[in-house]
Amino acid sequence: MSFCKALVTTQVGSPGSIRWTGVETKPRGHSGLTVQVGFESDGVSRPRQATCHYRYNAVEDTALTLSDPLSVYSTSPETMTIDGESLSRPALAEAVKQAMIAHGKAIIDRAQQGIEDAAAMARDRLGSGSGN
């Protein structure tokens, strides 16, 4: 669900203006998984919808697939539509690439913030422990 939302943000002109209105997952066994996300965005007065279609991707049932039924589907969608219009294969590939870059950047930013917070805490402890 979250990856489909990330793909939508790569396709909307102002991703910061997106307001999510609903999410629905429809597992269809070997026929795949459909994730529908509803959203509103600046500049469009009507509700919008994106649909990501994921391929069934399991060979056999395992403990993981039994405990997490959605794990049997691909991690990237094979097709995607926004407001009923399909993204071309190259456009979908570019959307996946941009979503992955944004995800990686967010991880790096969180790690950097954690390092900066830890360094500030260490400086505070050293400063207050000096007996001044």
Side-chain angles (χ1 to χ4, degrees), residues 113 115-130 132:
Q113 186 62 50
I115 292 168
E116 290 171 5
D117 292 347
M121 195 176 349
R123 282 192 299 273
D124 290 347
R125 286 186 181 164
L126 290 173
S128 66
S130 63
N132 291 339

Side-chain angles (χ1 to χ4, degrees), residues 88-109:
S88 67
R89 282 226 182 269
L92 180 56
E94 182 62 25
V96 168
K97 176 183 162 187
Q98 293 304 317
M100 296 297 287
I101 288 170
H103 181 71
K105 184 178 179 331
I107 290 171
I108 291 169
D109 289 348

Side-chain angles (χ1 to χ4, degrees), residues 17-63:
S17 70
I18 295 176
R19 188 175 75 78
W20 303 108
T21 59
V23 176
E24 184 179 1
T25 58
K26 296 178 184 176
R28 298 179 325 240
H30 292 279
S31 297
L33 167 73
T34 300
V35 176
Q36 291 180 327
V37 293
F39 64 101
E40 294 173 353
S41 62
D42 285 348
V44 180
S45 60
R46 62 179 166 70
R48 302 183 70 190
Q49 184 177 45
T51 305
C52 297
H53 302 276
Y54 296 85
R55 181 179 305 204
Y56 184 84
N57 199 30
V59 176
E60 61 184 33
D61 288 336
T62 64

Side-chain angles (χ1 to χ4, degrees), residues 69-108:
L70 297 182
S71 68
V72 298
Y73 300 102
S74 299
T75 54
S76 287
E78 62 181 341
T79 63
M80 179 179 182
T81 60
I82 296 182
D83 299 329
E85 294 194 29
S86 294
L87 269 66
S88 67
R89 282 226 182 269
L92 180 56
E94 182 62 25
V96 168
K97 176 183 162 187
Q98 293 304 317
M100 296 297 287
I101 288 170
H103 181 71
K105 184 178 179 331
I107 290 171
I108 291 169

Side-chain angles (χ1 to χ4, degrees), residues 2-16 18 20 39 80 82 95 98-99 102:
S2 61
F3 193 63
C4 192
K5 287 180 177 181
L7 293 174
V8 170
T9 62
T10 69
Q11 300 301 303
V12 176
S14 51
I18 295 176
W20 303 108
F39 64 101
M80 179 179 182
I82 296 182
Q98 293 304 317

